[in-house]
Amino acid sequence: MSRTDFSYVESVSPGSGRRDPRAALASDAAALHLDRDWRFRLGAGLHDTTDGFEDPAFDDDAWDWVNVPSMWQMHDLDGDAPYGKPQYTNVVYPFPVDPPRVPDANPTGEYRRTFTLPADWPAGGRTVLRFEGVDSCFAVWVNGVRLGDGKGSRLPTEFDATEHLEPGENLLAVRVHQWSSASYLEDQDMWWLSGIFRPVTLLHRPEGGIEDVFAHADYDHRTGRGTLTVDAPEGARVTVPELGIDIAAGETASAPVEPWTAETPRLYDAVVATASERVNLRIGFRTVTVEGGVLKVNGKRTLLRGVNRHEWDPDTGRTLSVEAMRLDVELMKRHNVNAVRTSHYPPDRRFLDLCDELGLWVIDECDLETHGFVFYEWRDNPSDVPMWREAYLDRMRRTVERDKNHPSIIMWSLGNESHTGQNLAAMSAWAKDRDPGRPVHYEGDWDSGYVDVYSRMYADHAETDRIGHRTEESTKDPALDTHRRNLPFILCEYAHAMGNGPGGMSEYQRLFEQHERCQGGFVWEWIDHGVRRHTDGREWFAYGGDFGEPVHDGNFVVDGLVFPDREPSPGLLEFKKVVEPVRIGVDAGSRRITVENLRDFADTGDLEFAWAVEDDGDTEHEGRLDLPAIDPGNAAIVPFPPAVAELGEPKGERWLTVRAVLAKDEPWAEAGHEIAWGQGRLAAAVAAPAPAGAAAAEAADSGYRLGNATFDALGRLTAIGGLELDGPRLDLWRAPTDNDLRSWNAPLADKWKDMSAALHRLEHKVLGIDAAGDGLTVATRVAAAGAEIGMGAVYRWRFADGRLWLTVEVNPEGEWDFPLPRLGVRAAVPKDLDAVSWFGGGPGEAYADTREAARIGRFTSTVLDLQTPYVFPQENGSRIDVRWASLSGGGRTLRFLGAPHFAFTVRPWTSEDLEAARHRSDLVERDRLYINLDAGLQGMGSAACGPGVLPEHRLLPRATAFTLGFETSE
Ligand code: IPT
């Protein structure tokens, strides 16, 4: 055993030797950044530490070099992973639960770094070491003297180093433990990763300087005036040159101002100064209230179109570059996201600066989650055990104190999934006392006794509707019930974005718009936490279990709207359309365009409205709509542009599309960036003349011939116009999505694969072939070995006017009491036909309940580009409402025609390959393309964590017929 005292590791104390928490400030006091190269050694536990490593004389030449900030498990994962590997669990603690004790196997990192105090480092005052984030527990020495220890991974800790610094070279030593008592409070759904993962700085604190600042900047929407009071040390002066404000700390000034909102993020530069220090602030004037059961900013109900954001980078874990933070905010703004919940800890403080600057509403959440206690009926849950009270309060203090000057933060959140108890209530009371200007949020107590908003996660549409009517279930205590029923409602998590989906977002949005009380929500979640890996040069993203963790939660950690590399997923494009802040209606009947401004604060003066008429996908005419700026909450109705009336007879389907685009560059997108769009059909497709006489089938080469098509002896299409294929057959299967595979009840995929149905291994039995008359009719029964139920499928082939037509009649036999994955046919075609065009919904994938973002038009792509690269492979890439699609290559084209519409996917692998793959890199191209032409597909829902597919988007089996045409050309 080492002679060091390690009792702090398992002590519930949040730390020792620390300075009081204070705001993160942009000061002109001297600072020295202590990032980059540190010496590092990783030990296996407290028994494997280095006595005397804190001694400046200790020889660390044999130690490794690591970068700070970083997380030690993220190093060289494609190589020999020198410092262990990431571990993922969602709810369960990855160690035996025995609070506050943690395992002896407690990876412990020892860090050493020398630094030289610059010659001009000011004399006098204090010198402070600031750690922005260390996961999870650490102790600090300067020149061999212990300064203290700390916990609270995503919270800053400061130590006073003044007395122990030397002129010239100094030695800083830090020992970091992966596990500590604090691990019980940090059970967030994410990778367990450790180290000094946010910056470390040495800060000079001048005598008579500005230790802390709390700017209270309110806005009175009735008078248009802002009121500013800045709590700062006595003697400090506060100036806001643009407003002519020059006041003493503690004094109040008032002036006419432009308010701050997420839509209009107006900031005023301010300076707080004493003789020895100057702090720059960016002031945003806004007032947040809960009034009459409604959450208001600046007197107005505000609708949150939010996302939950974890900090994630596929290469560095929770260490993020400023560029990555900025990209997150820009991507959010570009996709009409207007709010972020910082799930489930305060983010790197620079992220909040970006939210102030670019405009996002923020719920700043404290670093707290004790979810794993749910497995023991919340017995011993720290939230209600007095010995943890100080640790809870400490976390709340450090959150509020650090972040209190951000106008973007409109609520404090106590944490996540920590059930309920006196310690949470105490955090709330403290926060309200310290900052009466912000409501308190916490989801874990549905009685809502100590919060200002009623918050829930994953409530389904029906319950959300009841809550909207304030007719939700009663709380036992009538007083609490009254309190709760009079609170505004938000879904702090909904629309679980795992894999393909989430479906059903537009139905939620309608509820948020319909009920004053329902003020929106936060999609779970922003980014897939996949870890980037390479095998044989191919990139893939790892998830739980890929590092051999004995206890893990698989790919539940990849459930974001952007992929790990921050490429937007179809779910984000769908969200962008669903929450668009301007709604455009194009009504062909009345020949009018309606533009509604759904924003809360800004008019539409920043937008231009571009229109275009397309005929069968060819642009015939385009222009700009002349619209006045529309006030928030208002609408404008204008007639179609005169040029539209002057267009000649349509040659095909004619659509008018109106797009709202940015009129000029914004800090987060360029002029021309699309915000919203609407479409209306001006003319339906011109009906094709009825085919003149159909060809008769004839026997040929042990099969049949019909027009330019040949069939084998079992009546399966083998070639059309000389192009060889495995002709279409009934197909009901899709590679299950995360939402098919999981559910709080019975996952749909279980039903599908159950022996009674076994849709994944259907067999086709030909019952009879009829080649008499004008065409070929093949009757079949489709069922799986051992299954009770089956489908009758009759294929009626006709050839007329150079086209081959197929009508498939399906008839469920037996008890089909569940929705089908898909209903359509599958075929295999030559590999070189890989250029794809279609007229229909696009450009992206769409399913029954994820189809808002699909507009009607003519699109081109390649087979590979049609694939959505979900981290965990699953059904993807379907294009919806397709009138025709063609595959071309090698000088040939194969065209599919709808009667009227179909959906299609085309892939270089089969549905079975997709289902078997565990990672992108498992998918290997075959020597043919597999195409599905579908009459219908089951919706996506979000059953992986939330409601399943709404009834109207389920694909229920019933007797149906659908028709498709086929033609080839050279
Ligand atoms: C909910 C958690 O709050 C969140 O962190 C995440 O785990 C999410 O689920 C699922 O991805 S808790 C769940 C029990 C509803």
Side-chain angles (χ1 to χ4, degrees), residues 768-799:
I769 301 181
D770 181 3
D774 55 356
L776 185 73
T777 301
V778 183
T780 68
R781 182 170 186 275
V782 180
E788 290 170 26
I789 55 180
M791 284 271 174
V794 177
Y795 304 82
R796 295 189 192 283
W797 293 98
R798 284 160 48 85
F799 187 84

mmCIF file of all heavy atoms in Angstrom, residues 768-799:
data_model
loop_
_atom_site.group_PDB
_atom_site.id
_atom_site.type_symbol
_atom_site.label_atom_id
_atom_site.label_comp_id
_atom_site.label_asym_id
_atom_site.label_seq_id
_atom_site.Cartn_x
_atom_site.Cartn_y
_atom_site.Cartn_z
ATOM 1 N N GLY A 768 -49.617 -22.350 -59.555
ATOM 2 C CA GLY A 768 -50.092 -22.565 -60.915
ATOM 3 C C GLY A 768 -49.661 -21.432 -61.830
ATOM 4 O O GLY A 768 -49.463 -20.312 -61.381
ATOM 5 N N ILE A 769 -49.450 -21.753 -63.114
ATOM 6 C CA ILE A 769 -49.061 -20.742 -64.102
ATOM 7 C C ILE A 769 -50.085 -20.801 -65.217
ATOM 8 O O ILE A 769 -50.401 -21.878 -65.726
ATOM 9 C CB ILE A 769 -47.659 -21.035 -64.657
ATOM 10 C CG1 ILE A 769 -46.645 -21.044 -63.504
ATOM 11 C CG2 ILE A 769 -47.278 -20.016 -65.729
ATOM 12 C CD1 ILE A 769 -45.221 -21.292 -63.929
ATOM 13 N N ASP A 770 -50.592 -19.646 -65.592
ATOM 14 C CA ASP A 770 -51.584 -19.593 -66.654
ATOM 15 C C ASP A 770 -51.054 -18.716 -67.777
ATOM 16 O O ASP A 770 -50.914 -17.497 -67.603
ATOM 17 C CB ASP A 770 -52.897 -19.050 -66.078
ATOM 18 C CG ASP A 770 -53.983 -18.987 -67.138
ATOM 19 O OD1 ASP A 770 -53.710 -19.413 -68.290
ATOM 20 O OD2 ASP A 770 -55.081 -18.496 -66.812
ATOM 21 N N ALA A 771 -50.714 -19.330 -68.889
ATOM 22 C CA ALA A 771 -50.138 -18.574 -70.006
ATOM 23 C C ALA A 771 -51.161 -18.354 -71.108
ATOM 24 O O ALA A 771 -50.855 -17.819 -72.156
ATOM 25 C CB ALA A 771 -48.913 -19.296 -70.558
ATOM 26 N N ALA A 772 -52.378 -18.773 -70.879
ATOM 27 C CA ALA A 772 -53.419 -18.564 -71.881
ATOM 28 C C ALA A 772 -53.905 -17.122 -71.775
ATOM 29 O O ALA A 772 -53.697 -16.469 -70.769
ATOM 30 C CB ALA A 772 -54.570 -19.531 -71.642
ATOM 31 N N GLY A 773 -54.503 -16.592 -72.794
ATOM 32 C CA GLY A 773 -55.032 -15.225 -72.745
ATOM 33 C C GLY A 773 -53.930 -14.219 -72.954
ATOM 34 O O GLY A 773 -52.821 -14.545 -73.384
ATOM 35 N N ASP A 774 -54.194 -12.951 -72.608
ATOM 36 C CA ASP A 774 -53.224 -11.903 -72.937
ATOM 37 C C ASP A 774 -52.309 -11.603 -71.764
ATOM 38 O O ASP A 774 -52.418 -10.607 -71.104
ATOM 39 C CB ASP A 774 -53.939 -10.635 -73.422
ATOM 40 C CG ASP A 774 -54.952 -10.153 -72.413
ATOM 41 O OD1 ASP A 774 -55.147 -10.850 -71.380
ATOM 42 O OD2 ASP A 774 -55.532 -9.090 -72.619
ATOM 43 N N GLY A 775 -51.407 -12.487 -71.505
ATOM 44 C CA GLY A 775 -50.439 -12.263 -70.431
ATOM 45 C C GLY A 775 -50.080 -13.564 -69.761
ATOM 46 O O GLY A 775 -50.367 -14.645 -70.274
ATOM 47 N N LEU A 776 -49.413 -13.397 -68.629
ATOM 48 C CA LEU A 776 -48.956 -14.569 -67.893
ATOM 49 C C LEU A 776 -49.390 -14.383 -66.446
ATOM 50 O O LEU A 776 -49.144 -13.320 -65.864
ATOM 51 C CB LEU A 776 -47.427 -14.636 -67.981
ATOM 52 C CG LEU A 776 -46.749 -15.847 -67.369
ATOM 53 C CD1 LEU A 776 -47.000 -17.084 -68.241
ATOM 54 C CD2 LEU A 776 -45.243 -15.600 -67.247
ATOM 55 N N THR A 777 -50.023 -15.390 -65.872
ATOM 56 C CA THR A 777 -50.460 -15.280 -64.483
ATOM 57 C C THR A 777 -49.809 -16.385 -63.677
ATOM 58 O O THR A 777 -49.851 -17.552 -64.056
ATOM 59 C CB THR A 777 -51.996 -15.394 -64.392
ATOM 60 O OG1 THR A 777 -52.553 -14.343 -65.182
ATOM 61 C CG2 THR A 777 -52.476 -15.252 -62.960
ATOM 62 N N VAL A 778 -49.159 -15.974 -62.594
ATOM 63 C CA VAL A 778 -48.452 -16.943 -61.751
ATOM 64 C C VAL A 778 -49.047 -16.849 -60.356
ATOM 65 O O VAL A 778 -48.980 -15.793 -59.707
ATOM 66 C CB VAL A 778 -46.939 -16.633 -61.712
ATOM 67 C CG1 VAL A 778 -46.203 -17.688 -60.900
ATOM 68 C CG2 VAL A 778 -46.372 -16.535 -63.125
ATOM 69 N N ALA A 779 -49.645 -17.934 -59.893
ATOM 70 C CA ALA A 779 -50.237 -17.947 -58.552
ATOM 71 C C ALA A 779 -49.250 -18.603 -57.593
ATOM 72 O O ALA A 779 -48.687 -19.649 -57.905
ATOM 73 C CB ALA A 779 -51.559 -18.707 -58.565
ATOM 74 N N THR A 780 -49.034 -17.968 -56.433
ATOM 75 C CA THR A 780 -48.060 -18.513 -55.479
ATOM 76 C C THR A 780 -48.605 -18.414 -54.061
ATOM 77 O O THR A 780 -49.570 -17.706 -53.793
ATOM 78 C CB THR A 780 -46.730 -17.716 -55.517
ATOM 79 O OG1 THR A 780 -46.961 -16.413 -54.998
ATOM 80 C CG2 THR A 780 -46.168 -17.616 -56.910
ATOM 81 N N ARG A 781 -47.947 -19.155 -53.188
ATOM 82 C CA ARG A 781 -48.184 -18.969 -51.755
ATOM 83 C C ARG A 781 -46.827 -18.722 -51.117
ATOM 84 O O ARG A 781 -45.849 -19.417 -51.406
ATOM 85 C CB ARG A 781 -48.856 -20.181 -51.129
ATOM 86 C CG ARG A 781 -49.156 -19.967 -49.646
ATOM 87 C CD ARG A 781 -50.035 -21.064 -49.057
ATOM 88 N NE ARG A 781 -50.408 -20.745 -47.685
ATOM 89 C CZ ARG A 781 -49.661 -21.019 -46.622
ATOM 90 N NH1 ARG A 781 -48.513 -21.644 -46.754
ATOM 91 N NH2 ARG A 781 -50.082 -20.680 -45.405
ATOM 92 N N VAL A 782 -46.790 -17.700 -50.255
ATOM 93 C CA VAL A 782 -45.529 -17.280 -49.655
ATOM 94 C C VAL A 782 -45.638 -17.501 -48.151
ATOM 95 O O VAL A 782 -46.549 -16.964 -47.508
ATOM 96 C CB VAL A 782 -45.261 -15.799 -49.987
ATOM 97 C CG1 VAL A 782 -43.957 -15.332 -49.371
ATOM 98 C CG2 VAL A 782 -45.257 -15.580 -51.491
ATOM 99 N N ALA A 783 -44.756 -18.314 -47.591
ATOM 100 C CA ALA A 783 -44.813 -18.613 -46.159
ATOM 101 C C ALA A 783 -43.460 -19.169 -45.722
ATOM 102 O O ALA A 783 -42.649 -19.563 -46.552
ATOM 103 C CB ALA A 783 -45.918 -19.621 -45.860
ATOM 104 N N ALA A 784 -43.240 -19.169 -44.416
ATOM 105 C CA ALA A 784 -41.967 -19.661 -43.890
ATOM 106 C C ALA A 784 -42.132 -21.065 -43.328
ATOM 107 O O ALA A 784 -43.225 -21.437 -42.892
ATOM 108 C CB ALA A 784 -41.471 -18.731 -42.794
ATOM 109 N N ALA A 785 -41.051 -21.804 -43.293
ATOM 110 C CA ALA A 785 -41.061 -23.136 -42.695
ATOM 111 C C ALA A 785 -41.567 -23.025 -41.266
ATOM 112 O O ALA A 785 -41.110 -22.158 -40.506
ATOM 113 C CB ALA A 785 -39.647 -23.711 -42.715
ATOM 114 N N GLY A 786 -42.518 -23.847 -40.921
ATOM 115 C CA GLY A 786 -43.015 -23.882 -39.550
ATOM 116 C C GLY A 786 -44.038 -22.818 -39.225
ATOM 117 O O GLY A 786 -44.628 -22.824 -38.150
ATOM 118 N N ALA A 787 -44.271 -21.877 -40.141
ATOM 119 C CA ALA A 787 -45.168 -20.759 -39.825
ATOM 120 C C ALA A 787 -46.627 -21.146 -39.984
ATOM 121 O O ALA A 787 -46.976 -21.990 -40.801
ATOM 122 C CB ALA A 787 -44.847 -19.581 -40.722
ATOM 123 N N GLU A 788 -47.475 -20.510 -39.189
ATOM 124 C CA GLU A 788 -48.907 -20.775 -39.284
ATOM 125 C C GLU A 788 -49.568 -19.964 -40.378
ATOM 126 O O GLU A 788 -50.607 -20.322 -40.898
ATOM 127 C CB GLU A 788 -49.592 -20.376 -37.968
ATOM 128 C CG GLU A 788 -49.263 -21.253 -36.806
ATOM 129 C CD GLU A 788 -49.786 -20.662 -35.506
ATOM 130 O OE1 GLU A 788 -50.770 -19.893 -35.536
ATOM 131 O OE2 GLU A 788 -49.187 -20.978 -34.474
ATOM 132 N N ILE A 789 -48.973 -18.793 -40.644
ATOM 133 C CA ILE A 789 -49.640 -17.878 -41.551
ATOM 134 C C ILE A 789 -48.861 -17.744 -42.843
ATOM 135 O O ILE A 789 -47.668 -18.051 -42.901
ATOM 136 C CB ILE A 789 -49.828 -16.489 -40.892
ATOM 137 C CG1 ILE A 789 -48.476 -15.958 -40.408
ATOM 138 C CG2 ILE A 789 -50.809 -16.573 -39.739
ATOM 139 C CD1 ILE A 789 -48.568 -14.594 -39.756
ATOM 140 N N GLY A 790 -49.550 -17.293 -43.874
ATOM 141 C CA GLY A 790 -48.888 -17.115 -45.157
ATOM 142 C C GLY A 790 -49.612 -16.050 -45.955
ATOM 143 O O GLY A 790 -50.560 -15.425 -45.481
ATOM 144 N N MET A 791 -49.119 -15.836 -47.165
ATOM 145 C CA MET A 791 -49.723 -14.852 -48.065
ATOM 146 C C MET A 791 -49.945 -15.515 -49.404
ATOM 147 O O MET A 791 -49.023 -16.120 -49.953
ATOM 148 C CB MET A 791 -48.749 -13.700 -48.348
ATOM 149 C CG MET A 791 -48.556 -12.691 -47.301
ATOM 150 S SD MET A 791 -49.724 -11.345 -47.413
ATOM 151 C CE MET A 791 -49.257 -10.492 -45.916
ATOM 152 N N GLY A 792 -51.136 -15.364 -49.919
ATOM 153 C CA GLY A 792 -51.331 -15.714 -51.314
ATOM 154 C C GLY A 792 -50.804 -14.553 -52.143
ATOM 155 O O GLY A 792 -51.047 -13.395 -51.807
ATOM 156 N N ALA A 793 -50.033 -14.854 -53.175
ATOM 157 C CA ALA A 793 -49.545 -13.787 -54.057
ATOM 158 C C ALA A 793 -49.740 -14.223 -55.498
ATOM 159 O O ALA A 793 -49.230 -15.268 -55.907
ATOM 160 C CB ALA A 793 -48.075 -13.495 -53.795
ATOM 161 N N VAL A 794 -50.505 -13.444 -56.225
ATOM 162 C CA VAL A 794 -50.731 -13.743 -57.642
ATOM 163 C C VAL A 794 -50.072 -12.642 -58.463
ATOM 164 O O VAL A 794 -50.280 -11.454 -58.194
ATOM 165 C CB VAL A 794 -52.247 -13.816 -57.954
ATOM 166 C CG1 VAL A 794 -52.466 -14.061 -59.443
ATOM 167 C CG2 VAL A 794 -52.911 -14.904 -57.120
ATOM 168 N N TYR A 795 -49.245 -13.037 -59.425
ATOM 169 C CA TYR A 795 -48.547 -12.072 -60.285
ATOM 170 C C TYR A 795 -49.232 -12.077 -61.650
ATOM 171 O O TYR A 795 -49.268 -13.120 -62.312
ATOM 172 C CB TYR A 795 -47.083 -12.475 -60.467
ATOM 173 C CG TYR A 795 -46.314 -12.635 -59.161
ATOM 174 C CD1 TYR A 795 -46.410 -13.820 -58.418
ATOM 175 C CD2 TYR A 795 -45.502 -11.615 -58.684
ATOM 176 C CE1 TYR A 795 -45.710 -13.970 -57.232
ATOM 177 C CE2 TYR A 795 -44.793 -11.763 -57.493
ATOM 178 C CZ TYR A 795 -44.903 -12.939 -56.776
ATOM 179 O OH TYR A 795 -44.208 -13.091 -55.608
ATOM 180 N N ARG A 796 -49.762 -10.957 -62.046
ATOM 181 C CA ARG A 796 -50.388 -10.865 -63.379
ATOM 182 C C ARG A 796 -49.512 -9.998 -64.276
ATOM 183 O O ARG A 796 -49.370 -8.805 -64.046
ATOM 184 C CB ARG A 796 -51.775 -10.240 -63.294
ATOM 185 C CG ARG A 796 -52.754 -11.089 -62.518
ATOM 186 C CD ARG A 796 -54.179 -10.600 -62.608
ATOM 187 N NE ARG A 796 -54.986 -11.291 -61.615
ATOM 188 C CZ ARG A 796 -55.432 -12.552 -61.745
ATOM 189 N NH1 ARG A 796 -55.181 -13.237 -62.855
ATOM 190 N NH2 ARG A 796 -56.120 -13.108 -60.767
ATOM 191 N N TRP A 797 -48.892 -10.633 -65.246
ATOM 192 C CA TRP A 797 -47.981 -9.932 -66.176
ATOM 193 C C TRP A 797 -48.710 -9.617 -67.471
ATOM 194 O O TRP A 797 -49.422 -10.460 -67.998
ATOM 195 C CB TRP A 797 -46.792 -10.834 -66.499
ATOM 196 C CG TRP A 797 -45.866 -11.103 -65.352
ATOM 197 C CD1 TRP A 797 -45.849 -12.206 -64.548
ATOM 198 C CD2 TRP A 797 -44.818 -10.256 -64.904
ATOM 199 N NE1 TRP A 797 -44.860 -12.102 -63.613
ATOM 200 C CE2 TRP A 797 -44.193 -10.897 -63.809
ATOM 201 C CE3 TRP A 797 -44.334 -9.004 -65.306
ATOM 202 C CZ2 TRP A 797 -43.124 -10.348 -63.129
ATOM 203 C CZ3 TRP A 797 -43.269 -8.460 -64.634
ATOM 204 C CH2 TRP A 797 -42.672 -9.129 -63.545
ATOM 205 N N ARG A 798 -48.500 -8.404 -67.985
ATOM 206 C CA ARG A 798 -49.043 -8.028 -69.297
ATOM 207 C C ARG A 798 -47.972 -7.250 -70.038
ATOM 208 O O ARG A 798 -47.146 -6.569 -69.431
ATOM 209 C CB ARG A 798 -50.285 -7.129 -69.152
ATOM 210 C CG ARG A 798 -51.554 -7.870 -68.736
ATOM 211 C CD ARG A 798 -52.562 -6.902 -68.140
ATOM 212 N NE ARG A 798 -52.757 -5.709 -68.941
ATOM 213 C CZ ARG A 798 -53.613 -5.622 -69.979
ATOM 214 N NH1 ARG A 798 -54.371 -6.660 -70.308
ATOM 215 N NH2 ARG A 798 -53.719 -4.509 -70.669
ATOM 216 N N PHE A 799 -47.995 -7.353 -71.343
ATOM 217 C CA PHE A 799 -47.034 -6.570 -72.119
ATOM 218 C C PHE A 799 -47.825 -5.763 -73.131
ATOM 219 O O PHE A 799 -48.600 -6.313 -73.905
ATOM 220 C CB PHE A 799 -46.040 -7.497 -72.839
ATOM 221 C CG PHE A 799 -44.943 -6.729 -73.513
ATOM 222 C CD1 PHE A 799 -43.817 -6.330 -72.801
ATOM 223 C CD2 PHE A 799 -45.052 -6.362 -74.861
ATOM 224 C CE1 PHE A 799 -42.817 -5.592 -73.416
ATOM 225 C CE2 PHE A 799 -44.051 -5.627 -75.473
ATOM 226 C CZ PHE A 799 -42.929 -5.241 -74.756
#
